[in-house]
Structure formats: structure tokens, C-alpha cells
Amino acid sequence: MDKTEKRCPRCGSSFTCNHSDTAHCQCSGVRLSDSARSYLAAHYKDCLCRRCLDEIAEIYA
């Protein structure tokens, strides 16, 4: 499996990204609305940590 240590561009925390096996990645299970996905695409070019994804999912629910 291809795990990568990353730093969240939103909050600066470090996390492990498992982009080669998304079913077992820290972002697995986050449900994002279309507006949340649009916001993420417009503002970030890389993965965010689970906490930030959960916060954005709630804001754009």
C-alpha cells in the first residue's frame, strides 16, 4: 500500500494519506455535498485531514 505522510493545507496538522487504497484512508466515509466538493476544488490542491473534511462537510451540508 502506498501511504504518504501529509500536512493539512487548512489547519497544518499531519496525517497519513492512503491514496492507493481509499477505502482504508483517513478520509473514507466523509460525505461531501456538491457545494462542499466545489469549495474544496476551488481552494485546495491536495488532501485535507479528516477533521477539516468533517468541518467542511458540516458547513456545506
Side-chain angles (χ1 to χ4, degrees):
M1 289 186 216
D2 190 17
K3 295 181 180 182
T4 305
E5 289 300 316
K6 292 190 174 189
R7 185 157 307 276
C8 180
R10 183 171 181 253
C11 73
S13 68
S14 60
F15 65 95
T16 302
C17 177
N18 192 5
H19 59 270
S20 66
D21 185 10
T22 56
H24 295 101
C25 194
Q26 56 94 33
C27 65
S28 176
V30 178
R31 303 289 180 237
L32 298 169
S33 65
D34 288 341
S35 58
R37 289 178 190 275
S38 294
Y39 171 81
L40 290 169
H43 291 90
Y44 301 102
K45 302 295 183 219
D46 204 356
C47 301
L48 273 66
C49 70
R50 176 67 184 246
R51 185 180 75 215
C52 285
L53 288 174
D54 286 338
E55 288 174 5
I56 289 169
E58 187 173 322
I59 292 167
Y60 289 92

